[in-house]
Amino acid sequence: MTPHGLTTLLLCAAAVFAATDACGVESRAEIQINLCSDPTRVVSALALAAERKPTTIWLFDSPTLELNRAGLRLRLREHDKESELTLKVAGQNCEQVSPALLKPDGKCEADLHGDALDDVISLSRRLEAPARARLLAPDETRGAPLVAALTAVLEPRQRTLLTERRSATGGTALLPADVARLGPSSVRTYRSANASYVVEVWTLPGGQQFVELSEKTGRNAALARRAELTRLVNTAGLAICRDQDSQARNKLATLAR
């Protein structure tokens, strides 16, 4: 191997998720724009069509949102007959994340809220029917039974990341002792045949609704593309929420109440 080839190989190994000419790999970002117009108006103004079936989402956190305050999010997503448990860990640097941690199907990418980029690791695992049933059992909605059920279904990588972040933020156990199952929320996804963005409408058990327009793109193009999407939304006469922080905390707070 030539010296140049060796240098290229080392650069690729060290920066799999960075934007680098040597590897031809570009890091990704997800643009997220919170909309405050009525969901029906959003769907009409953007000429969107709904996917056939909604997704059911359960979130897990304590009444004081202890996990969210530590940059952690635990989510159970159910679509058709499939169930997937995802751990998200915010406040990362994707360029420094070991590729081995993300294999085979994890990811590290930036979330863009307003003008702020936040690198987030996502690790997911599919759950078989018995594990799903245990998580959703009527007597395991909170506290010790739910802690046991969650601990049993977390895969090793998820458990390791959760332990590291909990330890770094003052947590003394893998999960808060008063962790609760929050939901279910119904999430309907809408798309346009002529656009690459999607719109999600969350409906919480109490009827509260949250609307988010999102699109994935290259990290270096994210701010410019967000400006384009903002102009699109404004031209359609839709209202962009003044609060462009992640809606996750607002959803959790509403569910916890």
Side-chain angles (χ1 to χ4, degrees):
M1 180 180 293
T2 66
H4 175 72
L6 178 59
T7 300
T8 299
L9 179 62
L10 291 174
L11 283 171
C12 290
V16 172
F17 297 95
T20 163
D21 293 335
C23 305
V25 175
E26 183 183 18
S27 60
R28 304 290 290 171
E30 182 173 15
I31 303 162
Q32 300 172 356
I33 301 176
N34 302 335
L35 303 180
C36 280
S37 292
D38 181 81
T40 303
R41 175 163 169 68
V42 172
V43 171
S44 175
L46 297 178
L48 302 173
E51 292 188 345
R52 282 189 177 183
K53 294 182 179 180
T55 299
T56 299
I57 300 288
W58 296 88
L59 301 174
F60 302 91
D61 210 331
S62 71
T64 58
L65 309 188
E66 187 175 333
L67 294 179
N68 180 265
R69 287 187 285 107
L72 295 162
R73 190 181 188 205
L74 265 176
R75 178 192 70 202
L76 175 65
R77 181 189 294 269
E78 299 183 281
H79 188 70
D80 290 332
K81 296 182 179 180
E82 293 188 351
S83 299
E84 184 179 70
L85 182 68
T86 298
L87 172 68
K88 290 180 173 285
V89 188
Q92 302 297 305
N93 182 338
C94 289
E95 293 185 25
Q96 297 178 1
V97 174
S98 167
L101 175 67
L102 303 179
K103 291 180 179 180
D105 53 6
K107 63 182 180 181
C108 186
E109 63 183 21
D111 287 345
L112 176 61
H113 304 285
D115 296 326
L117 284 161
D118 181 23
D119 286 358
V120 179
I121 291 176
S122 295
L123 298 179
S124 300
R125 67 163 302 184
R126 290 187 179 181
L127 297 185
E128 300 297 331
R132 172 196 172 277
R134 185 176 180 188
L135 278 185
L136 299 181
D139 60 343
E140 294 182 355
T141 59
R142 64 177 59 248
L146 184 57
V147 169
L150 281 167
T151 301
V153 300
L154 287 168
E155 66 162 11
R157 295 177 307 159
Q158 292 174 325
R159 197 175 294 116
T160 295
L161 271 184
L162 189 54
T163 299
E164 289 177 352
R165 176 53 69 92
R166 289 275 290 155
S167 176
T169 55
T172 57
L174 183 67
L175 293 163
D178 56 349
V179 69
R181 187 175 71 221
L182 306 173
S185 298
S186 177
V187 182
R188 178 76 73 170
T189 301
Y190 297 83
R191 301 179 187 272
S192 168
N194 302 315
S196 53
Y197 59 80
V198 300
V199 170
E200 284 190 345
V201 178
W202 284 60
T203 303
L204 275 53
Q208 304 91 339
Q209 291 188 307
F210 295 82
V211 185
E212 180 184 86
L213 182 151
S214 65
E215 181 176 299
K216 292 192 176 184
T217 186
R219 184 186 185 110
N220 293 337
L223 287 171
R225 179 56 179 158
R226 183 185 183 280
E228 293 175 356
L229 291 171
T230 298
R231 286 193 292 271
L232 171 74
V233 170
N234 288 333
T235 300
L238 301 174
I240 296 176
C241 302
R242 296 180 65 180
D243 178 8
Q244 283 300 306
D245 288 338
S246 170
Q247 290 185 347
R249 184 175 180 83
N250 292 335
K251 294 169 190 169
L252 283 165
T254 302
L255 288 166
R257 288 196 295 269

